[in-house]
Amino acid sequence: MSALSAKPGLHHSVSEWCNNNQQLSATAQHERHVSNVIRQEGRSLRNETNCETTWDENETSRRLSDRAWDVARWKDVLENCAQKVDEEMEALTLSKEQTEQALAATAVPQEVTGECLTLRDGRRGYELVIDPVDEQLKKEAQLIESVQRALQQHIDKAFEQLCVLQEVRHQLTADLQNKMDALDIDMTCLSLTIKSPQISLKPNPTRIPSGSSTPKEWVQFSQFNVARAQEAMQISQQMREDMSLTRAQLQNEMDTQRRVTEFALRKRNHHEEQARDELEWQIKNTEDEMAEMETDIHGLDADLQAKTASLKLAHTRLENRTNRPGMDLCRDEVQYGLVKEVHQLEATIMALKQKLSEAQNSLQKMKLHHSRMLQDLSRKQEALSLEQRSMNTRTRLMSASCTDKVLLVPLTNSSGRSNLQLLAQ
């Protein structure tokens, strides 16, 4: 009998052997049952999770699509609003430039009015009167200054409104750029699949980014930008209407005042021509009268000399007859006749001297008045020349209005229609 290599183990009984076999079978059956349950639960879990994952992915894609549609809709709204703001800025800029041109066009009337006032201040003597022309010219100068102030106020307001529109346009541009970036991101997310190479696990992807907004705040922000832009455009449209109407009204007022001033100037020129013609007629008649007066003075002087010679003759006869001798020194009819003749001649000479003195005084007065009339005529002719120069100066206004192009002033009503036009001369 060979020796054993190891000590034999513990021997079990048949019952223990049977129990062990039964236990192994029961355990195997239990493990198979547990495994089957786990397998069924795993299959169910797989099916459920697959369905849930597919559903969630589809829902996420749907939400991304809806969100992209909302962002695209607001992007279109912002683009349309930005385009309208650009159009309104161009229209307001054009209206502002037209107002600036209208303001620059007032320089010529202002210069002409000032030149006319300066010319008419050159009148002398009684021709330097405060007539209706002066009043109308001063009214015209005041009107031009008020027109310039009104136009400058509209230009300043338009510039400020352009700044507001520029700021609004900047806000719309920033919001629009954000919408375009967000739309690109959402469309990229929508195009991703589980097979896309760009996907990977990210650290803490469920965190809430700083600066996040709620959907309500997101909508309200864009609504505020659009509403602010619409309000600014409405104010701009009203401002363009006001500028157009103001330009037309002020132009009409200036044209009306120009016509009134020119009518007063023509009327004054006519009155001055009448006064000049009347004065020339008076000067001519006075010169004729002076010539006749000088002729009569010569006649009076000749008669006075003749009467003096006759008086000398009478005096000599009387004096010679005093030398008659004795009783021949008689106071006869000759004596009485000579005495009467002397008295008559002395009275005649005295009357002729007085009349000659009156004639000479009258002639001297006429000469003085003639000189004054000549001076006044010179002043009237000078005044007429100044009036004519003023009228010639004001032709620059007519030539400027005739050479200027016809301006079409656009009018925009409160409904937004901008196809109305006012013909401004």
mmCIF file of all heavy atoms in Angstrom, residues 242-272:
data_model
loop_
_atom_site.group_PDB
_atom_site.id
_atom_site.type_symbol
_atom_site.label_atom_id
_atom_site.label_comp_id
_atom_site.label_asym_id
_atom_site.label_seq_id
_atom_site.Cartn_x
_atom_site.Cartn_y
_atom_site.Cartn_z
ATOM 1 N N ASP A 242 -42.919 120.117 -40.174
ATOM 2 C CA ASP A 242 -42.824 121.481 -39.649
ATOM 3 C C ASP A 242 -41.792 122.292 -40.431
ATOM 4 O O ASP A 242 -42.028 123.465 -40.757
ATOM 5 C CB ASP A 242 -42.447 121.445 -38.165
ATOM 6 C CG ASP A 242 -43.545 120.834 -37.308
ATOM 7 O OD1 ASP A 242 -44.700 120.771 -37.789
ATOM 8 O OD2 ASP A 242 -43.249 120.393 -36.181
ATOM 9 N N MET A 243 -40.646 121.693 -40.735
ATOM 10 C CA MET A 243 -39.622 122.419 -41.483
ATOM 11 C C MET A 243 -40.107 122.774 -42.884
ATOM 12 O O MET A 243 -39.868 123.882 -43.371
ATOM 13 C CB MET A 243 -38.343 121.582 -41.562
ATOM 14 C CG MET A 243 -37.500 121.631 -40.301
ATOM 15 S SD MET A 243 -35.803 121.011 -40.556
ATOM 16 C CE MET A 243 -36.139 119.284 -40.833
ATOM 17 N N SER A 244 -40.792 121.824 -43.530
ATOM 18 C CA SER A 244 -41.283 122.094 -44.880
ATOM 19 C C SER A 244 -42.306 123.221 -44.872
ATOM 20 O O SER A 244 -42.234 124.158 -45.672
ATOM 21 C CB SER A 244 -41.898 120.824 -45.475
ATOM 22 O OG SER A 244 -40.952 119.781 -45.552
ATOM 23 N N LEU A 245 -43.254 123.142 -43.950
ATOM 24 C CA LEU A 245 -44.281 124.187 -43.870
ATOM 25 C C LEU A 245 -43.663 125.524 -43.473
ATOM 26 O O LEU A 245 -44.045 126.572 -43.998
ATOM 27 C CB LEU A 245 -45.359 123.773 -42.867
ATOM 28 C CG LEU A 245 -46.244 122.589 -43.282
ATOM 29 C CD1 LEU A 245 -47.202 122.218 -42.168
ATOM 30 C CD2 LEU A 245 -47.020 122.902 -44.546
ATOM 31 N N THR A 246 -42.706 125.473 -42.542
ATOM 32 C CA THR A 246 -42.064 126.722 -42.111
ATOM 33 C C THR A 246 -41.300 127.361 -43.257
ATOM 34 O O THR A 246 -41.375 128.582 -43.457
ATOM 35 C CB THR A 246 -41.100 126.438 -40.939
ATOM 36 O OG1 THR A 246 -41.852 125.882 -39.844
ATOM 37 C CG2 THR A 246 -40.419 127.715 -40.486
ATOM 38 N N ARG A 247 -40.565 126.549 -44.014
ATOM 39 C CA ARG A 247 -39.842 127.103 -45.165
ATOM 40 C C ARG A 247 -40.804 127.757 -46.150
ATOM 41 O O ARG A 247 -40.554 128.866 -46.651
ATOM 42 C CB ARG A 247 -39.032 126.012 -45.869
ATOM 43 C CG ARG A 247 -37.802 125.553 -45.123
ATOM 44 C CD ARG A 247 -36.839 124.826 -46.063
ATOM 45 N NE ARG A 247 -37.485 123.713 -46.729
ATOM 46 C CZ ARG A 247 -37.525 122.476 -46.261
ATOM 47 N NH1 ARG A 247 -36.976 122.201 -45.087
ATOM 48 N NH2 ARG A 247 -38.105 121.501 -46.933
ATOM 49 N N ALA A 248 -41.904 127.054 -46.443
ATOM 50 C CA ALA A 248 -42.861 127.603 -47.405
ATOM 51 C C ALA A 248 -43.500 128.888 -46.866
ATOM 52 O O ALA A 248 -43.620 129.883 -47.589
ATOM 53 C CB ALA A 248 -43.931 126.561 -47.719
ATOM 54 N N GLN A 249 -43.910 128.868 -45.581
ATOM 55 C CA GLN A 249 -44.548 130.049 -45.003
ATOM 56 C C GLN A 249 -43.591 131.228 -44.949
ATOM 57 O O GLN A 249 -43.954 132.360 -45.315
ATOM 58 C CB GLN A 249 -45.059 129.715 -43.602
ATOM 59 C CG GLN A 249 -46.235 128.744 -43.587
ATOM 60 C CD GLN A 249 -46.619 128.328 -42.188
ATOM 61 O OE1 GLN A 249 -45.956 128.696 -41.212
ATOM 62 N NE2 GLN A 249 -47.684 127.553 -42.060
ATOM 63 N N LEU A 250 -42.360 130.969 -44.497
ATOM 64 C CA LEU A 250 -41.389 132.061 -44.399
ATOM 65 C C LEU A 250 -41.037 132.611 -45.776
ATOM 66 O O LEU A 250 -40.861 133.824 -45.947
ATOM 67 C CB LEU A 250 -40.133 131.576 -43.686
ATOM 68 C CG LEU A 250 -40.309 131.189 -42.217
ATOM 69 C CD1 LEU A 250 -38.989 130.689 -41.636
ATOM 70 C CD2 LEU A 250 -40.843 132.353 -41.395
ATOM 71 N N GLN A 251 -40.942 131.720 -46.769
ATOM 72 C CA GLN A 251 -40.664 132.183 -48.124
ATOM 73 C C GLN A 251 -41.804 133.051 -48.641
ATOM 74 O O GLN A 251 -41.573 134.086 -49.293
ATOM 75 C CB GLN A 251 -40.444 130.981 -49.047
ATOM 76 C CG GLN A 251 -40.013 131.353 -50.464
ATOM 77 C CD GLN A 251 -38.690 132.077 -50.490
ATOM 78 O OE1 GLN A 251 -37.757 131.674 -49.792
ATOM 79 N NE2 GLN A 251 -38.585 133.126 -51.283
ATOM 80 N N ASN A 252 -43.049 132.626 -48.355
ATOM 81 C CA ASN A 252 -44.204 133.432 -48.764
ATOM 82 C C ASN A 252 -44.189 134.789 -48.075
ATOM 83 O O ASN A 252 -44.484 135.822 -48.702
ATOM 84 C CB ASN A 252 -45.491 132.684 -48.451
ATOM 85 C CG ASN A 252 -45.687 131.467 -49.334
ATOM 86 O OD1 ASN A 252 -45.135 131.408 -50.430
ATOM 87 N ND2 ASN A 252 -46.450 130.499 -48.875
ATOM 88 N N GLU A 253 -43.858 134.802 -46.773
ATOM 89 C CA GLU A 253 -43.807 136.073 -46.051
ATOM 90 C C GLU A 253 -42.726 136.987 -46.630
ATOM 91 O O GLU A 253 -42.953 138.193 -46.802
ATOM 92 C CB GLU A 253 -43.534 135.810 -44.570
ATOM 93 C CG GLU A 253 -44.699 135.144 -43.832
ATOM 94 C CD GLU A 253 -44.368 134.869 -42.385
ATOM 95 O OE1 GLU A 253 -43.256 135.256 -41.950
ATOM 96 O OE2 GLU A 253 -45.196 134.268 -41.683
ATOM 97 N N MET A 254 -41.566 136.411 -46.933
ATOM 98 C CA MET A 254 -40.498 137.230 -47.502
ATOM 99 C C MET A 254 -40.869 137.735 -48.897
ATOM 100 O O MET A 254 -40.582 138.899 -49.243
ATOM 101 C CB MET A 254 -39.208 136.417 -47.559
ATOM 102 C CG MET A 254 -38.586 136.134 -46.202
ATOM 103 S SD MET A 254 -37.015 135.239 -46.318
ATOM 104 C CE MET A 254 -36.016 136.408 -47.211
ATOM 105 N N ASP A 255 -41.506 136.888 -49.709
ATOM 106 C CA ASP A 255 -41.923 137.333 -51.042
ATOM 107 C C ASP A 255 -42.967 138.440 -50.939
ATOM 108 O O ASP A 255 -42.926 139.422 -51.686
ATOM 109 C CB ASP A 255 -42.494 136.148 -51.829
ATOM 110 C CG ASP A 255 -41.406 135.168 -52.234
ATOM 111 O OD1 ASP A 255 -40.231 135.557 -52.225
ATOM 112 O OD2 ASP A 255 -41.741 134.001 -52.538
ATOM 113 N N THR A 256 -43.914 138.261 -49.999
ATOM 114 C CA THR A 256 -44.943 139.291 -49.810
ATOM 115 C C THR A 256 -44.327 140.609 -49.375
ATOM 116 O O THR A 256 -44.649 141.680 -49.912
ATOM 117 C CB THR A 256 -45.968 138.820 -48.777
ATOM 118 O OG1 THR A 256 -46.574 137.598 -49.227
ATOM 119 C CG2 THR A 256 -47.051 139.865 -48.577
ATOM 120 N N GLN A 257 -43.415 140.542 -48.386
ATOM 121 C CA GLN A 257 -42.767 141.763 -47.911
ATOM 122 C C GLN A 257 -41.911 142.387 -49.000
ATOM 123 O O GLN A 257 -41.837 143.616 -49.130
ATOM 124 C CB GLN A 257 -41.903 141.451 -46.680
ATOM 125 C CG GLN A 257 -41.236 142.668 -46.064
ATOM 126 C CD GLN A 257 -42.232 143.707 -45.602
ATOM 127 O OE1 GLN A 257 -43.266 143.384 -45.029
ATOM 128 N NE2 GLN A 257 -41.946 144.978 -45.871
ATOM 129 N N ARG A 258 -41.261 141.549 -49.811
ATOM 130 C CA ARG A 258 -40.462 142.084 -50.912
ATOM 131 C C ARG A 258 -41.341 142.849 -51.893
ATOM 132 O O ARG A 258 -40.982 143.949 -52.342
ATOM 133 C CB ARG A 258 -39.746 140.940 -51.633
ATOM 134 C CG ARG A 258 -38.970 141.379 -52.863
ATOM 135 C CD ARG A 258 -38.243 140.212 -53.501
ATOM 136 N NE ARG A 258 -39.155 139.134 -53.867
ATOM 137 C CZ ARG A 258 -39.880 139.101 -54.972
ATOM 138 N NH1 ARG A 258 -39.816 140.117 -55.831
ATOM 139 N NH2 ARG A 258 -40.672 138.079 -55.244
ATOM 140 N N ARG A 259 -42.510 142.288 -52.224
ATOM 141 C CA ARG A 259 -43.408 142.988 -53.147
ATOM 142 C C ARG A 259 -43.914 144.293 -52.548
ATOM 143 O O ARG A 259 -44.013 145.313 -53.248
ATOM 144 C CB ARG A 259 -44.570 142.072 -53.513
ATOM 145 C CG ARG A 259 -44.164 140.829 -54.307
ATOM 146 C CD ARG A 259 -45.376 140.069 -54.804
ATOM 147 N NE ARG A 259 -45.008 138.847 -55.493
ATOM 148 C CZ ARG A 259 -44.953 137.659 -54.932
ATOM 149 N NH1 ARG A 259 -45.289 137.526 -53.645
ATOM 150 N NH2 ARG A 259 -44.606 136.581 -55.621
ATOM 151 N N VAL A 260 -44.253 144.266 -51.248
ATOM 152 C CA VAL A 260 -44.732 145.492 -50.584
ATOM 153 C C VAL A 260 -43.632 146.558 -50.601
ATOM 154 O O VAL A 260 -43.888 147.734 -50.891
ATOM 155 C CB VAL A 260 -45.175 145.171 -49.141
ATOM 156 C CG1 VAL A 260 -45.469 146.454 -48.375
ATOM 157 C CG2 VAL A 260 -46.410 144.281 -49.151
ATOM 158 N N THR A 261 -42.399 146.135 -50.285
ATOM 159 C CA THR A 261 -41.293 147.095 -50.264
ATOM 160 C C THR A 261 -41.036 147.669 -51.652
ATOM 161 O O THR A 261 -40.835 148.886 -51.804
ATOM 162 C CB THR A 261 -40.023 146.404 -49.738
ATOM 163 O OG1 THR A 261 -40.281 145.871 -48.428
ATOM 164 C CG2 THR A 261 -38.873 147.380 -49.660
ATOM 165 N N GLU A 262 -41.048 146.817 -52.659
ATOM 166 C CA GLU A 262 -40.801 147.298 -54.016
ATOM 167 C C GLU A 262 -41.939 148.192 -54.510
ATOM 168 O O GLU A 262 -41.695 149.160 -55.237
ATOM 169 C CB GLU A 262 -40.603 146.110 -54.949
ATOM 170 C CG GLU A 262 -39.300 145.369 -54.681
ATOM 171 C CD GLU A 262 -39.162 144.123 -55.532
ATOM 172 O OE1 GLU A 262 -40.137 143.803 -56.249
ATOM 173 O OE2 GLU A 262 -38.108 143.478 -55.475
ATOM 174 N N PHE A 263 -43.169 147.883 -54.098
ATOM 175 C CA PHE A 263 -44.279 148.762 -54.465
ATOM 176 C C PHE A 263 -44.105 150.138 -53.815
ATOM 177 O O PHE A 263 -44.301 151.181 -54.473
ATOM 178 C CB PHE A 263 -45.604 148.143 -54.037
ATOM 179 C CG PHE A 263 -46.785 149.051 -54.230
ATOM 180 C CD1 PHE A 263 -47.325 149.278 -55.479
ATOM 181 C CD2 PHE A 263 -47.355 149.713 -53.137
ATOM 182 C CE1 PHE A 263 -48.409 150.117 -55.664
ATOM 183 C CE2 PHE A 263 -48.432 150.553 -53.304
ATOM 184 C CZ PHE A 263 -48.967 150.754 -54.569
ATOM 185 N N ALA A 264 -43.737 150.148 -52.511
ATOM 186 C CA ALA A 264 -43.506 151.425 -51.828
ATOM 187 C C ALA A 264 -42.354 152.178 -52.472
ATOM 188 O O ALA A 264 -42.398 153.406 -52.617
ATOM 189 C CB ALA A 264 -43.222 151.175 -50.344
ATOM 190 N N LEU A 265 -41.317 151.440 -52.892
ATOM 191 C CA LEU A 265 -40.181 152.089 -53.529
ATOM 192 C C LEU A 265 -40.569 152.686 -54.881
ATOM 193 O O LEU A 265 -40.192 153.825 -55.205
ATOM 194 C CB LEU A 265 -39.042 151.080 -53.708
ATOM 195 C CG LEU A 265 -37.694 151.614 -54.184
ATOM 196 C CD1 LEU A 265 -37.181 152.661 -53.218
ATOM 197 C CD2 LEU A 265 -36.703 150.474 -54.313
ATOM 198 N N ARG A 266 -41.348 151.939 -55.673
ATOM 199 C CA ARG A 266 -41.804 152.488 -56.956
ATOM 200 C C ARG A 266 -42.724 153.685 -56.748
ATOM 201 O O ARG A 266 -42.639 154.685 -57.487
ATOM 202 C CB ARG A 266 -42.519 151.401 -57.758
ATOM 203 C CG ARG A 266 -41.601 150.300 -58.275
ATOM 204 C CD ARG A 266 -42.312 149.451 -59.315
ATOM 205 N NE ARG A 266 -43.515 148.843 -58.789
ATOM 206 C CZ ARG A 266 -43.559 147.657 -58.202
ATOM 207 N NH1 ARG A 266 -42.443 146.960 -58.028
ATOM 208 N NH2 ARG A 266 -44.711 147.152 -57.766
ATOM 209 N N LYS A 267 -43.601 153.583 -55.766
ATOM 210 C CA LYS A 267 -44.517 154.697 -55.491
ATOM 211 C C LYS A 267 -43.751 155.930 -55.045
ATOM 212 O O LYS A 267 -44.023 157.055 -55.499
ATOM 213 C CB LYS A 267 -45.512 154.269 -54.413
ATOM 214 C CG LYS A 267 -46.581 155.292 -54.108
ATOM 215 C CD LYS A 267 -47.568 154.764 -53.083
ATOM 216 C CE LYS A 267 -48.659 155.784 -52.771
ATOM 217 N NZ LYS A 267 -49.607 155.272 -51.763
ATOM 218 N N ARG A 268 -42.777 155.728 -54.153
ATOM 219 C CA ARG A 268 -41.959 156.861 -53.701
ATOM 220 C C ARG A 268 -41.164 157.440 -54.858
ATOM 221 O O ARG A 268 -41.028 158.666 -54.987
ATOM 222 C CB ARG A 268 -41.010 156.387 -52.586
ATOM 223 C CG ARG A 268 -40.085 157.470 -52.060
ATOM 224 C CD ARG A 268 -40.866 158.597 -51.420
ATOM 225 N NE ARG A 268 -39.994 159.654 -50.956
ATOM 226 C CZ ARG A 268 -40.409 160.805 -50.478
ATOM 227 N NH1 ARG A 268 -41.706 161.067 -50.412
ATOM 228 N NH2 ARG A 268 -39.562 161.719 -50.058
ATOM 229 N N ASN A 269 -40.643 156.600 -55.717
ATOM 230 C CA ASN A 269 -39.890 157.075 -56.884
ATOM 231 C C ASN A 269 -40.784 157.895 -57.802
ATOM 232 O O ASN A 269 -40.358 158.937 -58.340
ATOM 233 C CB ASN A 269 -39.303 155.872 -57.624
ATOM 234 C CG ASN A 269 -38.386 156.292 -58.748
ATOM 235 O OD1 ASN A 269 -37.271 156.739 -58.518
ATOM 236 N ND2 ASN A 269 -38.853 156.154 -59.980
ATOM 237 N N HIS A 270 -42.043 157.441 -57.946
ATOM 238 C CA HIS A 270 -42.986 158.199 -58.777
ATOM 239 C C HIS A 270 -43.271 159.560 -58.158
ATOM 240 O O HIS A 270 -43.300 160.583 -58.875
ATOM 241 C CB HIS A 270 -44.272 157.392 -58.929
ATOM 242 C CG HIS A 270 -45.338 158.106 -59.688
ATOM 243 N ND1 HIS A 270 -45.247 158.413 -61.031
ATOM 244 C CD2 HIS A 270 -46.548 158.612 -59.274
ATOM 245 C CE1 HIS A 270 -46.342 159.051 -61.419
ATOM 246 N NE2 HIS A 270 -47.139 159.187 -60.373
ATOM 247 N N HIS A 271 -43.475 159.604 -56.844
ATOM 248 C CA HIS A 271 -43.739 160.881 -56.180
ATOM 249 C C HIS A 271 -42.532 161.814 -56.296
ATOM 250 O O HIS A 271 -42.696 163.029 -56.515
ATOM 251 C CB HIS A 271 -44.068 160.644 -54.707
ATOM 252 C CG HIS A 271 -45.407 160.009 -54.497
ATOM 253 N ND1 HIS A 271 -45.804 159.463 -53.299
ATOM 254 C CD2 HIS A 271 -46.461 159.832 -55.351
ATOM 255 C CE1 HIS A 271 -47.025 158.975 -53.410
ATOM 256 N NE2 HIS A 271 -47.440 159.187 -54.650
ATOM 257 N N GLU A 272 -41.342 161.251 -56.164
ATOM 258 C CA GLU A 272 -40.152 162.089 -56.290
ATOM 259 C C GLU A 272 -39.984 162.602 -57.717
ATOM 260 O O GLU A 272 -39.539 163.733 -57.930
ATOM 261 C CB GLU A 272 -38.923 161.291 -55.848
ATOM 262 C CG GLU A 272 -38.878 161.048 -54.344
ATOM 263 C CD GLU A 272 -37.634 160.295 -53.932
ATOM 264 O OE1 GLU A 272 -36.907 159.832 -54.835
ATOM 265 O OE2 GLU A 272 -37.393 160.184 -52.716
#
